[in-house]
Amino acid sequence: EGFTTIDNLYVRNGTYFIVTNDVHAFPRREQIIAYIPAKYGVDGSSSDGPKELQFLTLEEAQSRIGDKVLKVSGFSVIIDDDEQFMTHYYHWWGEIILGFWRVFSSLRAESEVSLPPPERFIIPYVDELKWRDRPGVNAILMRAAFPLSSIESQEYWGDFKRLDTTVMFERAMIVSRPSRFVLPYTMYLYTHDSSMSAKFGKMIGSTLDLKPPDHFWEDLRQRTIKNALGFVPQLNLQGVVESPEAQATVLPMVMYISRQDTGRRLNDAAHEDLVDAMEKLEDEGVCIFVLAQMEYMSLQEQIELASKSTVIIGVHGNGLTHQLWMKPSPRSAVFEIMYPKGDVNGDVFKCFTAYVYDYEMLSRNMDHKHYAVWNDTLVTYPKG
C-alpha cells in the first residue's frame, strides 16, 4: 500500500481514471489514493489536485475521457501528501523518496526493458513554496539527486484543468501516505498481522516486503553526494577514507549528532559522559571522533561528515536521516538513543515511547547495523 505504479493513468477535472476490463488486477481504490483533506482535516477544497479515482472499462472510457487527450511522456511520481509531513527531512527523504526508490529499483530489476529515472515529481495538494522544509534541506538534495527532474506543485494541476483536457501520464507512481493508513496501526496489535507494513506502522513499511537488488540506494547516494560536494569519499571495509587524498583518514570516523541545544536531548551529565568516552577511544587510536551540531553547519558540511562516517550516534531525531549518505559496510552502524523502555501493558502510545521504528527502517534499507539504546540496554535485530 501507498506506492502504486500505473501505466496510462488518465486525469480529468480532478479525477484519476484507470482504464481496464479487469478491475481485480489492481489494488483497491482506497489503497491507491485517499483524499488527504478527509484524512488530515486539511482544507484542500480549493486544490486542483485529484480528489478521487474511478475505474473505467474500455467502452466507458470512450464517452467519459473524450477524444482530446494530452500525453505526458516518461515517468512521473505523484506525491499524494500534505505539508505536515513533506516539510520534514525524515518524512520526505526517509519515507517518500526512499520508499519510491525501493519500489522503483525492484521494478527495474524485474523489467526486461530499461526504466529511466522520473522526469518529474508532482505534488498536487501543496503550492510551490509550502512543500519545502524550513532548513531548505529537501529541495537542495532533490536537485542534487535528480538534477534532470522537475518538481511541480498544485499549480501544475490547475494549468491542466483550465486547459480543459484529459491528461494521460504514460507511467506514474502514486505515492500516497493516507492510502497506507486506511487501517489504523492498532489493527496490528489485535489482528497479529505479521506483514512488515503492519509491524512498522509507517508509510514505508509496506515496501520492506519487496526484494530490490542489494545496495539499491548506492547509485543514488553517490550521485547526491557528488552533486552536493563535487566528490564522493571512498571508504574501505574498515571504514577508513582512502580518497580523495585530501580527505583521507587513518581511522574510521564516529559522528555523534548532538541535540543539546534542542528540546529532545540527553541530560548534561549523560552527554558529557558520552563525549568523554568517545574522546577516550579517539585517544586510544580506535577511531576519529566528531561532535556535530547540525544546526550550526552548512548542508554541505553535514553531508560530507555523514559520507565520511562509519558510525553515527544520536538521540532519536531528524539528524539520523543523514545515515542515508553513510556508506554501507560491515562496520557501518547507527546508535539511536531513545526514551527507556517502560511498562507498555498494551498501551500503543507508551509503546511508541519505548521503541520507534523510523531510523531502524532506514538502517535496514541502507544495510547499516542499527542499535536502539535504552539507558544501558542495547536492542538490535538481525537482517531480514
Side-chain angles (χ1 to χ4, degrees):
E1 303 96 334
F3 298 85
T4 309
T5 303
I6 303 168
D7 288 343
N8 300 330
L9 175 67
Y10 295 86
V11 182
R12 183 175 179 85
N13 291 332
T15 299
Y16 289 117
F17 293 100
I18 296 176
V19 179
T20 178
N21 285 331
D22 183 10
V23 68
H24 299 292
F26 290 83
R28 299 196 314 271
R29 187 190 319 251
E30 63 270 19
Q31 291 177 309
I32 300 175
I33 179 175
Y35 181 31
I36 284 181
K39 289 289 180 182
Y40 294 109
V42 177
D43 182 12
S45 56
S46 61
S47 168
D48 289 318
K51 296 179 175 61
E52 62 176 307
L53 181 149
Q54 296 181 17
F55 290 95
L56 300 178
T57 65
L58 293 174
E59 184 177 358
E60 292 170 332
Q62 294 178 356
S63 59
R64 295 290 301 279
I65 290 178
D67 297 327
K68 185 182 176 183
V69 176
L70 189 159
K71 180 180 178 180
V72 179
S73 300
F75 185 23
S76 307
V77 179
I78 302 171
I79 302 172
D80 176 12
D81 205 349
D82 78 293
E83 62 187 87
Q84 174 187 353
F85 292 100
M86 66 174 57
T87 55
H88 192 283
Y89 181 29
Y90 164 75
H91 291 302
W92 180 272
W93 275 97
E95 292 191 295
I96 294 171
I97 301 303
L98 177 59
F100 143 68
W101 196 255
R102 185 179 178 94
V103 175
F104 175 75
S105 299
S106 300
L107 291 173
R108 186 159 58 177
E110 297 172 359
S111 177
E112 296 180 357
V113 297
S114 175
L115 292 178
E119 276 80 1
R120 63 198 65 83
F121 293 85
I122 307 168
I123 309 167
Y125 297 104
V126 179
D127 67 30
E128 185 174 1
L129 296 178
K130 290 185 178 179
W131 72 271
R132 296 169 178 262
D133 60 316
R134 187 171 57 185
V137 172
N138 291 342
I140 296 173
L141 291 180
M142 283 296 289
R143 304 306 182 188
F146 304 100
L148 301 180
S149 303
S150 64
I151 302 176
E152 309 285 354
S153 54
Q154 67 178 14
E155 291 81 5
Y156 179 85
W157 294 102
D159 292 339
F160 281 134
K161 188 173 182 179
R162 286 182 286 275
L163 192 60
D164 190 28
T165 188
T166 298
V167 179
M168 190 272 282
F169 291 93
E170 182 179 22
R171 169 165 288 175
M173 181 187 295
I174 300 177
V175 180
S176 176
R177 182 182 303 276
S179 294
R180 166 61 191 88
F181 293 106
V182 170
L183 296 177
Y185 172 71
T186 49
M187 288 290 287
Y188 166 66
L189 297 178
Y190 299 111
T191 62
H192 305 289
D193 185 345
S194 61
S195 70
M196 297 291 256
S197 176
K199 173 184 175 182
F200 289 114
K202 295 288 182 179
M203 178 185 181
I204 194 176
S206 60
T207 70
L208 297 184
D209 290 318
L210 300 175
K211 303 296 182 184
D214 290 340
H215 306 305
F216 71 93
W217 184 256
E218 186 61 13
D219 286 347
L220 186 60
R221 185 190 77 88
Q222 292 200 31
R223 180 167 70 245
T224 304
I225 295 171
K226 178 65 182 298
N227 289 336
L229 304 180
F231 65 93
V232 180
Q234 300 299 317
L235 283 66
N236 64 23
L237 294 180
Q238 285 71 46
V240 174
V241 179
E242 295 184 322
S243 66
E245 185 176 352
Q247 307 293 327
T249 62
V250 295
L251 294 170
M253 181 181 293
V254 177
M255 176 171 62
Y256 165 40
I257 300 175
S258 170
R259 296 176 56 95
Q260 293 307 103
D261 289 346
T262 69
R264 190 187 303 132
R265 45 173 285 175
L266 298 177
N267 62 48
D268 290 340
H271 166 74
E272 292 169 5
D273 286 348
L274 175 56
V275 172
D276 288 345
M278 295 309 306
E279 289 179 343
K280 182 178 179 181
L281 289 177
E282 184 174 43
D283 291 341
E284 294 172 354
V286 174
C287 64
I288 298 171
F289 173 60
V290 176
L291 174 60
Q293 288 187 278
M294 298 302 187
E295 60 267 35
Y296 303 118
M297 301 168 63
S298 70
L299 179 59
Q300 284 78 6
E301 290 172 326
Q302 296 175 46
I303 300 303
E304 180 176 344
L305 278 181
S307 66
K308 293 164 66 175
S309 295
T310 297
V311 175
I312 294 178
I313 304 170
V315 172
H316 171 82
N318 225 5
L320 294 178
T321 308
H322 278 324
Q323 67 176 286
L324 291 171
W325 319 118
M326 184 167 69
K327 180 179 175 61
S329 74
R331 287 187 169 186
S332 63
V334 174
F335 289 80
E336 179 182 2
I337 305 170
M338 301 183 183
Y339 289 111
K341 182 178 181 181
D343 183 14
V344 177
N345 288 331
D347 187 320
V348 175
F349 301 102
K350 287 183 179 178
C351 178
F352 281 136
T353 66
Y355 195 98
V356 185
Y357 288 103
D358 299 359
Y359 301 104
E360 182 199 334
M361 285 192 289
L362 262 62
S363 295
R364 286 177 180 267
N365 278 280
M366 299 300 103
D367 289 321
H368 305 318
K369 194 72 171 178
H370 177 273
Y371 297 89
V373 181
W374 288 327
N375 285 338
D376 59 353
T377 302
L378 295 179
V379 179
T380 190
Y381 296 95
K383 182 178 180 179

